[in-house]
Amino acid sequence: MMADQFPWLTAIVLFPLLASFLIPVIPDKDGKLIRWYALGVGIADFALMCYTFWQHYDPSDASFQIVENFAWMPQLGLNWSVAVDGISVPLVLLAGFVTTLSMFSAWQVDRRPRLFYFLMLVLYSAQVGVFVAKDLMLFFIMWEVELVPVYLLVSIWGGQRRRYAATKFILYTAAASIFILVAALAMGLYGGGNMSFDLTTLALKDYPLGLQLLLYAGLFIAFGVKLAIFPLHTWLPDAHGEASSPVSMILAGVLLKMGGYGLIRLNMELLPDAHVYFAPVLAVLGVVNIIYGALNSFAQTNMKRRLAFSSISHMGFVLLGLASFTDLGMNGAMLQMISHGLIASVLFFLAGVTYDRTRTMVMKDMGGIGQAMPIVFALFTIGAMASLALPGMSGFVGELSVFVGLTTSDVYSSIFCTVTVFLAAVGVILTPIYLLSMLRQVFYGNDAALICDINNAGLENQEDEGTACFGTDCLLPTQAVYSDARPREVFIAACFIVLIIGIGFYPKLAMQMYDAKTVAVNTHVRQSYTIISQSNPRIYADGFLIPKIAEPDINSVLATLK
């Protein structure tokens, strides 16, 4: 049938890229037509995603689906090979959703609008390309293409230190990408024969344990930079602190998730034996991320830097879930990526809305704007409640799944699980403190922020009790410089909030897309763990990490080997 022959995924990836090349020739003087065009392209591509996955994706099938292969450079073993499964589908939808709304949030960009929207559409294509690439070399190419638009978007439309932040971003991420290229070449060339970078072919190869450990370590560095794992995280606060709000939405909502996606797709699926050895390292680094990110958030006076360190903290739960060896932990890690993508995007968007009014990101200088902007205050509060994992929000379900998954893991000792969960819980306790503190400083103000010289403010009614103070500026509410959220801004925030609450009350809305796949990945990793434990029962070293082998796992694995 025509529906089966049409290259749906190729169209989804290339449509924004091809559409971006028309921007230079669109007749437009003030940029209004350009932004409508870019938004239309984003909506059309997102609609195409929804239609394709609704019609041609089966969530109960854990294998690759909608597979499209086209010879590209057969002499080098390079092919345009794209496909989706339970890991990639929700992240493709997340990328389309967040990027489209980020372009809508950039409605007031009037500096080089052609270049801005051109870069946004190129970034749109590259992000989707990373998540659907079935060829490892194509994955690397898309990964590299994505870096260029982000660098330019930060360096041109960023803050005062934008060039420093953009340079730091490109140096960290580009240098780390070298490990992906080396790993791709090593896996493609291993075993002789025809060189292939197809993920299905690579998964069938029997790599020696030493090579697996080296490849895993290199890929972990590459994806650790993108996921902002301590100590590879330092580019993120600088990038967020200087990037414009639409770019920050993509950075936090989509780009961080590429790191988690890479860990599942390459490290766990292709190198399961090495994952058995590295899993405790992931768990420890996950705890470090949670506590380190939360503590550093307290020290930030810049709102966006505080939210950036909050993202670092929340990514720790992804690591804990991937290290849990349980289906529930894996599900929690995926849900945490989806949930954080939505929550972080709306928070950075609202931070941009606040900046548009106050022209500052220093929280103490905002001083009580909640009185003049009650709608922004309400939306920001909902986003903060979701970030601190309030029950009924998506963040609660994701973090709870990770906690229960790690607690019920039969791989680690009870001491290790108890200590890990306890320390992670400390980070959970710290999260509401720094988020509520941020809300208090921004929307309620403090003594320092409320001091202002009304006599020199140039107001007609200087004694009016309704005078609102914003840092060093005093304005009457009737003068409406600090206007509340506009309909466009309310719509953008509501799009995120509806999904956040919807997933919070009905987690199956997201879990049904990937449950079969995460169970398959976890089963694959547990099989490797069970086999390795037979010959090395004290694999996690002496002391507190003595593994316990579940009897059903032993019998099922031994039965498949006979």
Side-chain angles (χ1 to χ4, degrees):
M1 292 187 300
M2 184 64 185
D4 297 327
Q5 297 174 356
F6 186 79
W8 295 104
L9 295 181
T10 300
I12 290 172
V13 174
L14 296 183
F15 176 59
L17 179 64
L18 296 177
S20 69
F21 292 120
L22 295 178
I23 288 181
V25 299
I26 294 177
D28 188 18
K29 293 182 179 180
D30 54 7
K32 292 182 179 180
L33 184 59
I34 295 295
R35 64 193 183 196
W36 277 111
Y37 172 78
L39 179 62
V41 170
I43 293 174
D45 203 50
F46 181 68
L48 183 60
M49 294 175 189
C50 295
Y51 172 81
T52 300
F53 298 148
W54 180 265
Q55 292 292 326
H56 304 290
Y57 171 69
D58 180 9
S60 64
D61 185 356
S63 62
F64 281 115
Q65 302 177 50
I66 322 179
V67 180
E68 299 167 9
N69 288 299
F70 302 98
W72 189 8
M73 300 181 187
Q75 299 85 351
L76 299 177
L78 299 180
N79 296 286
W80 177 271
S81 180
V82 292
V84 293
D85 60 6
I87 300 173
S88 52
V89 164
L91 296 178
V92 169
L93 291 172
L94 179 68
F97 185 74
V98 172
T99 308
T100 299
L101 288 179
S102 69
M103 287 191 290
F104 197 21
S105 72
W107 217 239
Q108 296 176 335
V109 171
D110 55 5
R111 182 187 179 194
R112 301 181 184 177
R114 290 182 187 273
L115 179 59
F116 180 87
Y117 288 107
F118 171 82
L119 293 174
M120 292 290 278
L121 290 178
V122 173
L123 179 58
Y124 197 136
S125 283
Q127 291 173 139
V128 176
V130 168
F131 293 130
V132 303
K134 188 173 176 285
D135 184 278
L136 185 50
M137 195 58 69
L138 178 62
F139 173 90
F140 169 75
I141 293 172
M142 290 295 180
W143 187 280
E144 290 294 286
V145 170
E146 161 264 324
L147 301 180
V148 178
V150 176
Y151 170 78
L152 294 174
L153 288 167
V154 175
S155 62
I156 297 175
W157 290 273
Q160 292 182 350
R161 302 177 71 243
R162 58 187 180 274
R163 291 184 178 85
Y164 167 79
T167 302
K168 192 172 184 179
F169 163 79
I170 199 70
L171 288 177
Y172 268 70
T173 52
S177 300
I178 297 174
F179 292 99
I180 301 177
L181 176 61
V182 173
L185 292 174
M187 287 189 278
L189 294 172
Y190 180 80
N194 295 329
M195 182 169 55
S196 174
F197 299 102
D198 185 80
L199 293 179
T200 303
T201 302
L202 297 179
L204 297 176
K205 292 187 177 182
D206 185 18
Y207 305 103
L209 181 59
L211 178 60
Q212 281 203 40
L213 293 173
L214 288 175
L215 294 174
Y216 193 105
L219 292 172
F220 184 67
I221 293 173
F223 300 138
V225 169
K226 191 72 94 177
L227 195 63
I229 299 175
F230 177 88
L232 307 173
H233 68 285
T234 58
W235 65 271
L236 184 65
D238 292 318
H240 274 307
E242 301 302 323
S244 61
S245 177
V247 179
S248 286
M249 290 170 65
I250 297 176
L251 274 173
V254 182
L255 299 192
L256 288 183
K257 312 309 173 288
M258 290 182 181
Y261 172 79
L263 288 175
I264 300 173
R265 176 67 73 210
L266 302 185
N267 291 54
M268 296 184 69
E269 283 201 283
L270 301 185
L271 309 168
D273 293 347
H275 181 73
V276 173
Y277 287 87
F278 272 91
V281 178
L282 266 65
V284 172
L285 288 176
V287 171
V288 172
N289 257 47
I290 292 171
I291 297 179
Y292 171 84
L295 290 176
N296 270 273
S297 291
F298 285 107
Q300 307 306 313
T301 58
N302 182 293
M303 185 197 300
K304 290 180 70 176
R305 288 182 66 90
R306 176 166 292 197
L307 294 175
F309 276 104
S310 175
S311 294
I312 293 172
S313 179
H314 283 88
M315 288 300 96
F317 290 100
V318 176
L319 294 178
L320 288 180
L322 299 184
S324 66
F325 288 95
T326 62
D327 295 342
L328 187 58
M330 280 288 297
N331 274 332
M334 277 296 300
L335 187 58
Q336 178 69 359
M337 287 196 287
I338 298 169
S339 171
H340 179 265
L342 298 172
I343 295 170
S345 295
V346 72
L347 286 175
F348 278 108
F349 166 68
L350 292 171
V353 171
T354 306
Y355 176 79
D356 288 341
R357 274 71 170 175
T358 63
R359 311 311 298 177
T360 181
M361 276 294 167
V362 180
M363 293 180 289
K364 67 181 181 63
D365 290 343
M366 296 181 186
I369 61 176
Q371 190 176 19
M373 296 190 291
I375 298 178
V376 174
F377 175 38
L379 295 173
F380 221 126
T381 301
I382 295 173
M385 295 300 107
S387 185
L388 59 82
L390 186 74
M393 304 285 193
S394 60
F396 173 78
V397 184
E399 293 182 13
L400 181 63
S401 299
V402 171
F403 273 120
V404 176
L406 185 62
T407 304
T408 58
S409 177
D410 58 353
V411 170
Y412 303 108
S413 68
S414 58
I415 297 176
F416 178 76
C417 289
T418 302
V419 172
T420 302
V421 171
F422 173 79
L423 293 176
V426 172
V428 174
I429 295 172
L430 294 174
T431 302
I433 299 176
Y434 67 73
L435 286 175
L436 295 178
S437 172
M438 178 184 70
L439 290 177
R440 177 185 59 79
Q441 291 184 61
V442 173
F443 294 102
Y444 286 97
N446 51 40
D447 294 339
L450 291 176
I451 296 175
C452 85
D453 186 3
I454 294 181
N455 294 324
N456 295 325
L459 302 179
E460 295 179 1
N461 188 358
Q462 298 172 357
E463 303 299 328
D464 194 327
E465 294 181 357
T467 300
C469 299
F470 309 96
T472 59
D473 297 325
C474 293
L475 298 169
L476 292 174
T478 55
Q479 294 181 312
V481 174
Y482 291 82
S483 59
D484 208 348
R486 303 179 182 92
R488 175 182 60 86
E489 296 165 336
V490 173
F491 173 79
I492 294 172
C495 288
F496 289 110
I497 291 172
V498 167
L499 277 179
I500 291 168
I501 296 176
I503 294 174
F505 279 98
Y506 189 64
K508 191 178 178 181
L509 183 68
M511 288 185 172
Q512 63 185 354
M513 289 189 289
Y514 59 78
D515 182 67
K517 180 62 179 183
T518 52
V519 170
V521 173
N522 186 58
T523 301
H524 186 47
V525 172
R526 286 187 67 91
Q527 287 178 349
S528 294
Y529 163 72
T530 305
I531 295 172
I532 292 174
S533 297
Q534 297 303 303
S535 58
N536 186 9
R538 301 181 71 84
I539 183 177
Y540 290 154
D542 295 334
F544 66 99
L545 285 176
I546 301 175
K548 299 176 183 178
I549 306 173
E551 191 67 29
D553 284 344
I554 298 176
N555 296 333
S556 62
V557 172
L558 293 180
T560 59
L561 294 177
K562 291 181 180 179

